[in-house]
Structures are given as structure tokens and as C-alpha cells.
Amino acid sequence: MSIAHVFALLCLPVLLCAQGKPSLEAVRIDGEVKVDGILDEAVWQDVPVGTDFVVLRPNPGEPASQSTEVRVVYDNLGIYFGATLLDSKPDSIQAELTERDDLGNTDFFGIVVDPYRSGISGFTFIVTPANVQRDAKQLDGYEDGSWDAVWVSGATRTEEGWSAEVFLPYSALRFPSTPVQEWTINFSRTIQRENEQSFWSEIDPNVDGFLNQSGTLTGLRDIKAPLRLQATPFLAVYGQHGRDANEPTEVGAIVTGGMDVKLGLTDAFTLDMTLIPDFGQVRSDNQVLNLGPFEQRFDEQRAFFTEGTELFNKGGLFYSRRVGGLNYYQSRVREQLLEGEEVVDNPRRAPLYNATKVSGRTAKGTGIGFFNAVEQENFATIRGVEGKDREVKTNPLTNYNVLTVDQNLPNNSSVTLINTNVIREGKARDANVTGLLFDLHNRANAYAVRGEVKHSRQYEPGNDRSGHALQLGVARISGQWTWELGYGEESDTYDVNDLGLLFANNSRYWRGEIDYSQPKTFFNGFFLNGRTGLDLDYRRLFAPSRYTGVNVRGYARATTRHFWDLYLSSRNDVGDQYDFFEPRVQGRYWRVPGYNNLSAYVGTDGRKKLRVSLDVDYNRYAGRSKRREVSLGFDARYRFSNRFSMSAYLNQGGDRNDVGYVNQQDVVVDDVARTDVYFGTRDRNSVEAGLNGKYSFSANMTLNLRLRHYWSGVAYSRFHLLDADGLLADTDYTGSHDQDFDAFNVDVVYRWRFAPGSDLFVVYKGNISDLDERRSDNYFGSFSQLWGRDVPRSGSLSVKVVYWLDYASLFPG
């Protein structure tokens, strides 16, 4: 058998899957449709019907257990979808009432559209029997649930099941400006009690991609995008209280306002602006005690930086928390203190003047995104011995820019050029990073060649430097057996942290991965589906070329016929690993003993009122190391009704004889200067406990509670001197490095969507945090000390009204 025959056989399942995709015609109407979930209008009669849904899970390829019919009509304002979802057990339909974009335990009907027929990017709209809405953007197989559009839906329970109507105004979509339109489209249905998900156009789980397996919507003629001009002015009132340790409580109030604006520049491109932004409604960060050499990464909670940013996030060069983040010189203020001076005010974060996004994609598949934000100057206040204050600049006026050009290519391929740029006022550092990314698939969408080439440069008086990063991989991406081989490197001068997030540069790696997927039942039907894989990593420094480590990891996950989720993984760091980052001194390294890791997870059936899960992680280090690390995680959720549910979690970790960096000292021995690096052996204990509650008054009115307490205690037993060979030697060093850290947060959010796109928020946020350099206490003892007067705390109560104004709605002609 020739290589060509082998390749043809490998690609045959993919080629067969690409054929025979269904088509559905949309019909133009003149009559009105009341979007209430009842398909009783005459316009729904005598129009083509989409039916014969095919199961994706639990048994791919089988006909759906219940019948679904979908009809599509349109007029000059938008597209209407009518779905009749028959059910032989209408009393068993699941319909939990939740907040928008949070589906919960429910059946649902979904629409996925790709107006540009890219096979890569599109929009998802979902409605449940309780008329809860969810929308998202699709890009490269990933779903961005932070994207929000304004659309109308209605859902009604019937004696034969339920029905839904969805109206998508043209202002909520992006589509090419052509007289005749053909869109890629698919419809999905989930029957929660059966854990069944089916699609109108069959989705083969062994084929890479989702949108590329969809059907076609025809019949759209002479539709035009309206003037897309939307404004959301807001007004917010804050009452704040807080105090420093052993100080009286201070109370204040703030009134602020601003506006977000969306303007359709063309049929494809949209301008988004936030003027005088307000981010007071975002969830509190999950702070932890960080003893490592790298900063803690925080999730982005600000809507402006999560919605529609998929183009900017390509290549991992944009970490949006940099914008409006920590002040540039904030940590260096004390270096400028004169004798007798003290810092009386040193804001941690710099406010924004404004932020702007322009993004969209042309009919030829060219996506363009531009992001700009301007960050204000910030100053710390220093008070002298005579009571006079002076200001020290902690953050210069800063301009952030991101530019992305992303081109869709045939066969679900793409190539992307992205550039990030930071310009700071005066002599502060400027930075620029450029990346070229490509993902090329063969015609059968069975194999791919992927790569990234990036270049960074920083401009600072007397310290200009540049660096590069490279990744290259080849992969089989479709079929039950998939694999990937890859190489990557980052030079020792590569740095993207002015606007990105990079933990460790100066590295090379070679990696291989092989995976096997079983989407159908096996072991006599005990498992509904499963997946297993093995990967190998070999790593070196980039400069100088030094071995740093090798590891092997294997995993297996499966879902049982009782709909329990199981996961098991094991990782083995083979032999000593050479860590060049933990010592915090250029050129120094620490020889970390190899270790074995075993992780396991089990989660019960999420359809039940009570769902529990258990996560266990165990690390055992090799050689003479006595280090052992065990962590346990427990999570429980109880659904009291379709409106009210609560969940609680507890994560506990214990690391015995952990070893890590504690200090360094510059010394001179025999007229030779050197830096001594000290490590410590320590016991680390941590507990994180949380409680979450959700109550839905209606699909548009919800109340959410979030409580979180985190504690970590570190107690050192002895110290070591790191020698030139990366080993730990005896030392007479002594110091006080024990730590005890607590963080307690409460977030209560009431949200009422009183009109399309318009919300009223009432939010309470409280924070108490305490970091002590003392012998670590136990969890309960440390928690009780949080409520003393020597612990700083803060809180705020805010009321915010956001009102959505849409030109197309105000002037529908």
C-alpha cells in the first residue's frame, strides 16, 4: 500500500463527514411576529422546516430521542427563529431559572451562525424553557461567553413539550454587504434529564472544528445592516468605609458617571469606547500568599476587557489587567524618602481616561482589531517632619495599543499578525512586541502545521533590549487518534510583560503528545465516553544551553452511564530538575529533586439536586527529600428549587518540608563580590473555603452571594545556603520569615435587567486581609484574629444604573 493510499484512508472519514450537510431556506415576511414563544402567527405556516436532529452525546450519530422542528423567517429589521421542541415527557423538562449567560440545570435550544462562512468564527444564541438567554462568540473552536448582544426571545411550555421564538436584530449581527446571503448555521437542542445534546447538522466528535460541520441558511435577500449606533450611559453612587490597622473607620461617598458607545463603522467593523470607565461592579480578586518568583495572575472581570476581545488575545501577548493595573513606580516610593519622611498616600492602581476598541471581519475573512487605552498619571503623597506634603509620580501618563490582522484561509486555516505597544511619558520604559501566528490545515482538515514567531523590544534610557520567541508544531487533528510534535524557544531577553504576561523566558522545549478519544459507550456501556493521552516534555535554557528537566504525563477521563465524571492523571519529573528562576539571581540555579504526582477527580451527576465532587492531588519527591505534598478539594452544590441554589467548597493543602527561596545578601570575600542566596525548609498549610448562593426572582432579576476565606501559614524549620552546584548547604543564617496570611471577601450583587440591555445593580463588596510575619497559627485561630482592630478592612455599597440606547430601535425605519 502506497503512502497516498494510506493518507486517503486516514482522510476518508473526514471527507465523508464534509458531504451531505443540510440546508434550510429562510422566508421573507410582511406580517408581524410577537416573540412570546407561541408559534401561532400565520407567517410560521408553509415555510421550510429543519428537523432530523442527530445526537452528539451521549451516543454520537444516533437520531435524537425527541423531535425538533425549526423555522426561519426574516424582514427588514432582523431574523426570526421558531422552534417546536416536542417531548414525550413534558412534565420532566428541566428549566432552572438562572441569571443571564448562566444556564444551570436546564434544557435549551441554541442557534449558531457564521454569516461570513469562515468555518472559524461565529455567534451563538441560546434560550431555555424559562426564557433565560445566553450568547457567545465562537473563534477557533473556543467560546467567548463574555460577549453580549441585545436580542429578544420567548419560551412557552406546552402539552407536547415546549416552544421558543428568537428575534435577532441585524444590529446584533455582522454580515457581508451582498444582495444574496448564504450563512453557515446550525441548531442544537439539549435534553438535560437524558444528558442528550443533538444538532440539526451532525457534529462528528472525531473531526476537528465545529462551525465547519454546520449546515447552510439560504433565502436571505436584500437585507441591510442598520446604522449601528448604541450608547449605554451609566450613573453610579458609592458609599465606602474602611480603616487601617488601629485607626478609626473612615466613611465617604462618591458619585460618578460615564458612558460606553458602540458605533458601526461599516457592515463589518464596530467602534467600542468607554468614557470615564467605572469598574466598581467587578468581582473581588482571589488573593493568595505567593512565595514563588513570578507574579500572581488574576482573571479579568471588567466587561469592556472581556467582551469582543478574541482578536486581541491571540498569541498570548495581551494581558488586559495591565491596563489600569499596578502603578509603574508604586513599589519604589520608599526609595525616595528623606530622613523623617513618611508615605501617607500611595494609590496602587492608575485610573483610565478612556479605552477604545475597533474590531470586525470583512467578507473575504480578514479580521482587524485595534485597541487603545490611556492611563492617567498617579502620584504618591509624602509628608515631611514639619507636616508639609510633597508629591512623587508613581505612574506616568501611559498609552496602550494593540493591533491585530487575522486572515481566514481555506480549510479552516488562518494567519495572524499582532502588535502591542506601550508608550509612557518622559524617561519611563516604552515597549513593543510583534507576533506572526499561523495555523494551516490540509484540505481534509486532518493535519495541521502551526507556529508562532514573536519579537519584543523595550526602550529605556541606557537599557534598550530585544528578544524573540518561536513555536513550531505539526499535528494530526482529526480522528480518534490525534498527536502533536512541537518545538519552542524564548530568548533570555524576550519580555512581553509591559502589556502581556510571561512567567519565565530563556527556555527551549521539545514536546510530543498522543491522545485517543472514544466518544461512544465502552466497557459494556458502563462508560458513555472517554479520552486518554500521554505527553513528553524535554526542556533546556536558551542561553546558556543548559539542561533543565524532562517530564512525562499521562491522563484518562471518562463519563459513566450514571453521568459521573472521572479524571485520573500522573506526572513524573524524571531525575533532578534545574530551576534557574527560584534563586532570583542571574545564572544561579537550584537542583530540584524529581517527583511523582498523582491526581484524581470524581464528580457526581450534575442533574441531581445534590452534586458533590472530590479532588485529590499527591506529590512525592525523590531521593533524600522528605517533602510530601497533599491537597484535597471538596465541592457541594444543592438546588433547593428552580430559583434557589447554594454551593460550598473547601480546599485544603499541606506541604511538608517544602523548600524555597527566602533571602539574598551581597558579600565580599577575598576582595571578590558575590551574592549569597538562602533557601529555607518550611511547612506550608493553606485552606480556602467559600459559599455561593443564587436566587432568581425572574429571568431578568437575580441576587448572588459570594463569600471566600483564604488562609495560608508558612513556618520555617531551618535555612540553607545555595551552593554553586545548585545544592543546599548548611549555614548559620537566621531570620524571621514565617508568614500568616488571611483574606476574606464578600460580594453581594442584585441585578435587574429592567429593559433590553439596561441594568440596575446594587452591589456590596467587603474585604479584610491580613499579612503577618509571625509563626503561622492554625486556621481557626488565624481566622478569629481577622476581626480585631489591628487588621485593615474596607467595604463599599454601590448603586449603578446602566441604560441602553439603540439608534435602530429608536428609529426603526
Side-chain angles (χ1 to χ4, degrees):
M1 183 179 291
S2 68
I3 294 177
H5 287 128
V6 173
F7 187 81
L9 288 174
L10 291 172
C11 297
L12 183 59
V14 180
L15 292 171
L16 291 175
C17 247
Q19 300 173 358
K21 289 300 178 183
S23 176
L24 181 64
E25 182 182 1
V27 176
R28 179 179 280 276
I29 61 172
D30 295 322
E32 295 185 358
V33 176
K34 182 180 180 182
V35 185
D36 54 6
I38 305 174
L39 279 68
D40 57 354
E41 291 88 356
V43 299
W44 293 119
Q45 309 304 315
D46 299 324
V47 297
V49 179
T51 187
D52 299 328
F53 280 48
V54 181
V55 171
L56 172 62
R57 59 176 174 86
N59 297 306
E62 293 186 357
S65 63
Q66 306 291 337
S67 178
T68 305
E69 297 179 350
V70 183
R71 297 168 173 83
V72 184
V73 298
Y74 68 99
D75 57 20
N76 291 330
L77 301 179
I79 304 180
Y80 300 82
F81 298 86
T84 302
L85 303 107
L86 302 179
D87 199 310
S88 59
K89 299 179 179 179
D91 293 338
S92 299
I93 294 172
Q94 301 297 311
E96 184 178 3
L97 193 60
T98 55
E99 187 175 16
R100 191 183 196 274
D101 292 325
D102 180 14
L103 293 179
N105 186 60
T106 184
D107 291 19
F108 63 80
F109 168 71
I111 305 161
V112 185
V113 293
D114 175 8
Y116 289 95
R117 309 198 70 180
S118 66
I120 297 176
S121 60
F123 308 92
T124 296
F125 303 91
I126 289 173
V127 63
T128 77
N131 200 30
V132 175
Q133 295 182 350
R134 184 179 189 274
D135 47 25
K137 272 190 176 181
Q138 302 281 343
L139 181 68
D140 293 341
Y142 298 98
E143 190 173 77
D144 176 15
S146 64
W147 177 77
D148 279 321
V150 177
W151 47 286
V152 183
S153 64
T156 300
R157 303 281 287 269
T158 69
E159 294 181 355
E160 298 177 331
W162 65 289
S163 59
E165 290 177 310
V166 172
F167 172 63
L168 302 181
Y170 295 134
S171 59
L173 298 168
R174 308 290 179 269
F175 50 87
S177 180
T178 56
V180 179
Q181 310 260 344
E182 284 194 358
W183 294 1
T184 295
I185 197 165
N186 211 342
F187 308 107
S188 70
R189 178 181 181 181
T190 290
I191 303 173
Q192 187 70 1
R193 69 176 183 277
E194 304 292 343
N195 207 23
E196 177 183 293
Q197 185 177 26
S198 59
F199 286 85
W200 169 64
S201 180
E202 181 180 359
I203 302 297
D204 186 342
N206 291 322
V207 173
D208 181 70
F210 170 69
L211 289 169
N212 54 302
Q213 299 189 63
S214 299
T216 304
L217 181 67
T218 64
L220 298 174
R221 292 178 175 85
D222 300 321
I223 64 173
K224 296 181 180 180
L227 174 62
R228 291 185 284 110
L229 175 59
Q230 301 167 2
T232 51
F234 71 86
L235 178 67
V237 180
Y238 290 87
Q240 299 175 322
H241 66 87
R243 64 173 172 82
D244 294 328
N246 297 311
E247 295 291 335
T249 299
E250 296 183 0
V251 179
I254 300 175
V255 179
T256 184
M259 183 166 59
D260 292 349
V261 176
K262 291 180 182 288
L263 173 63
L265 302 177
T266 66
D267 62 306
F269 291 93
T270 302
L271 167 70
D272 291 88
M273 297 184 66
T274 179
L275 308 174
I276 317 176
D278 172 66
F279 303 121
Q281 314 300 315
V282 301
R283 194 188 71 187
S284 302
D285 287 326
N286 290 340
Q287 293 179 299
V288 300
L289 179 61
N290 181 13
L291 300 180
F294 309 116
E295 64 180 294
Q296 182 185 356
R297 185 191 187 281
F298 292 108
D299 293 335
E300 181 60 83
Q301 307 291 341
R302 302 170 295 179
F304 182 83
F305 294 100
T306 58
E307 295 177 3
T309 57
E310 65 279 354
L311 282 173
F312 307 110
N313 292 327
K314 287 201 165 191
L317 300 180
F318 179 45
Y319 177 45
S320 58
R321 289 296 295 263
R322 298 284 185 223
V323 182
L326 295 179
N327 281 334
Y328 186 64
Y329 294 116
Q330 194 262 349
S331 62
R332 297 166 57 181
V333 169
R334 295 191 176 278
E335 300 174 7
Q336 303 185 48
L337 291 179
L338 303 177
E339 185 176 354
E341 289 187 327
E342 62 175 344
V343 178
V344 295
D345 185 32
N346 188 11
R348 285 174 51 83
R349 302 188 181 279
L352 296 177
Y353 281 122
N354 56 65
T356 304
K357 296 179 295 188
V358 176
S359 61
R361 191 174 295 273
T362 69
K364 295 184 178 181
T366 304
I368 300 175
F370 174 72
F371 170 88
N372 175 266
V374 180
E375 196 174 71
Q376 298 182 31
E377 290 181 320
N378 236 16
F379 296 87
T381 302
I382 295 177
R383 183 163 298 164
V385 292
E386 297 180 356
K388 294 183 178 180
D389 293 344
R390 64 184 180 96
E391 290 187 332
V392 174
K393 183 182 293 187
T394 57
N395 196 78
L397 182 68
T398 306
N399 185 274
Y400 298 97
N401 290 288
V402 183
L403 175 64
T404 304
V405 180
D406 177 71
Q407 179 63 54
N408 292 339
L409 300 174
N411 311 320
N412 281 18
S413 303
S414 65
V415 61
T416 305
L417 179 68
I418 183 169
N419 176 266
T420 68
N421 186 266
V422 180
I423 302 174
R424 296 184 175 95
E425 183 184 32
K427 297 181 180 180
R429 183 178 66 242
D430 299 333
N432 187 280
V433 182
T434 301
L436 176 66
L437 295 66
F438 59 89
D439 185 6
L440 308 177
H441 299 189
N442 70 329
R443 180 175 296 179
N445 198 35
Y447 295 90
V449 176
R450 298 162 172 162
E452 299 181 0
V453 181
K454 304 171 187 175
H455 178 267
S456 70
R457 186 168 183 183
Q458 294 175 319
Y459 308 85
E460 194 170 16
N463 190 30
D464 287 6
R465 63 175 185 168
S466 61
H468 75 275
L470 169 69
Q471 294 183 36
L472 183 63
V474 58
R476 174 178 167 83
I477 57 177
S478 292
Q480 286 186 270
W481 286 98
T482 58
W483 51 260
E484 184 169 5
L485 298 173
Y487 168 78
E489 67 179 38
E490 293 171 341
S491 70
D492 55 326
T493 53
Y494 178 68
D495 190 347
V496 302
N497 281 322
D498 288 86
L499 192 48
L501 181 64
L502 176 66
F503 288 136
N505 58 7
N506 194 18
S507 65
R508 278 195 173 103
Y509 73 83
W510 292 258
R511 69 180 303 270
E513 177 182 352
I514 186 168
D515 297 271
Y516 176 76
S517 174
Q518 176 52 273
K520 296 187 177 182
T521 58
F522 59 102
F523 281 162
N524 294 322
F526 182 79
F527 292 108
L528 296 178
N529 55 65
R531 188 177 183 89
T532 186
L534 183 71
D535 59 68
L536 172 69
D537 285 304
Y538 175 83
R539 305 179 305 279
R540 301 185 68 87
L541 279 189
F542 177 82
S545 181
R546 298 279 302 274
Y547 170 81
T548 57
V550 62
N551 67 68
V552 182
R553 185 184 73 94
Y555 76 92
R557 66 170 179 260
T559 302
T560 74
R561 65 187 177 195
H562 304 101
F563 300 105
W564 284 36
D565 296 317
L566 306 176
Y567 179 82
L568 182 68
S569 72
S570 177
R571 168 175 167 154
N572 184 14
D573 280 9
V574 182
D576 287 352
Q577 312 288 299
Y578 292 75
D579 188 339
F580 285 81
F581 299 97
E582 181 67 15
R584 275 84 148 174
V585 174
Q586 183 72 28
R588 302 296 298 275
Y589 63 90
W590 173 41
R591 291 177 60 172
V592 187
Y595 79 99
N596 299 310
N597 166 267
L598 183 65
S599 299
Y601 170 86
V602 57
T604 64
D605 187 353
R607 302 170 303 166
K608 306 295 185 182
K609 283 190 173 183
L610 175 65
R611 184 183 192 273
V612 297
S613 65
L614 180 66
D615 195 347
V616 181
D617 193 88
Y618 175 72
N619 294 326
R620 181 181 182 276
Y621 286 76
R624 297 181 179 179
S625 174
K626 297 180 180 180
R627 182 178 177 185
R628 301 290 186 272
E629 185 177 5
V630 179
S631 63
L632 301 173
F634 177 78
D635 189 289
R637 185 266 301 144
Y638 189 79
R639 195 167 48 251
F640 295 90
S641 68
N642 278 339
R643 296 177 181 271
F644 178 43
S645 67
M646 295 196 72
S647 63
Y649 67 90
L650 176 67
N651 299 319
Q652 182 172 8
D655 195 347
R656 298 293 177 265
N657 297 305
D658 175 33
V659 177
Y661 171 91
V662 293
N663 203 359
Q664 60 180 271
Q665 294 180 352
D666 295 327
V667 298
V668 178
V669 178
D670 297 331
D671 297 328
V672 177
R674 75 181 190 207
T675 300
D676 285 345
V677 179
Y678 297 98
F679 275 51
T681 296
R682 59 207 180 191
D683 286 346
R684 300 182 60 183
N685 295 288
S686 63
V687 175
E688 182 179 358
L691 179 68
N692 299 285
K694 299 187 296 183
Y695 186 84
S696 298
F697 301 94
S698 69
N700 294 314
M701 186 184 296
T702 57
L703 180 66
N704 287 275
L705 166 69
R706 177 178 179 265
L707 299 174
R708 174 184 180 265
H709 177 235
Y710 170 87
W711 168 77
S712 184
V714 182
Y716 286 84
S717 57
R718 59 188 182 276
F719 299 99
H720 318 274
L721 178 66
L722 184 68
D723 67 21
D725 295 323
L727 300 175
L728 303 179
D730 293 335
T731 179
D732 57 1
Y733 172 84
T734 60
S736 177
H737 296 282
D738 295 344
Q739 296 188 64
D740 187 281
F741 176 69
D742 276 277
F744 181 83
N745 296 99
V746 55
D747 294 79
V748 182
V749 180
Y750 168 83
R751 178 183 182 182
W752 174 32
R753 173 147 289 193
F754 58 88
S758 305
D759 292 296
L760 168 67
F761 293 96
V762 181
V763 179
Y764 176 77
K765 296 171 62 175
N767 172 265
I768 307 174
S769 59
D770 181 32
L771 175 62
D772 277 336
E773 295 182 357
R774 63 169 188 256
R775 196 70 176 176
S776 63
D777 206 339
N778 60 60
Y779 171 78
F780 293 102
S782 185
F783 180 69
S784 65
Q785 294 176 9
L786 269 180
W787 313 104
R789 286 196 54 82
D790 60 341
V791 178
R793 64 197 61 205
S794 63
S796 67
L797 177 65
S798 63
V799 178
K800 181 177 182 179
V801 180
V802 181
Y803 195 79
W804 181 72
L805 299 172
D806 177 43
Y807 180 89
S809 298
L810 296 173
F811 305 99

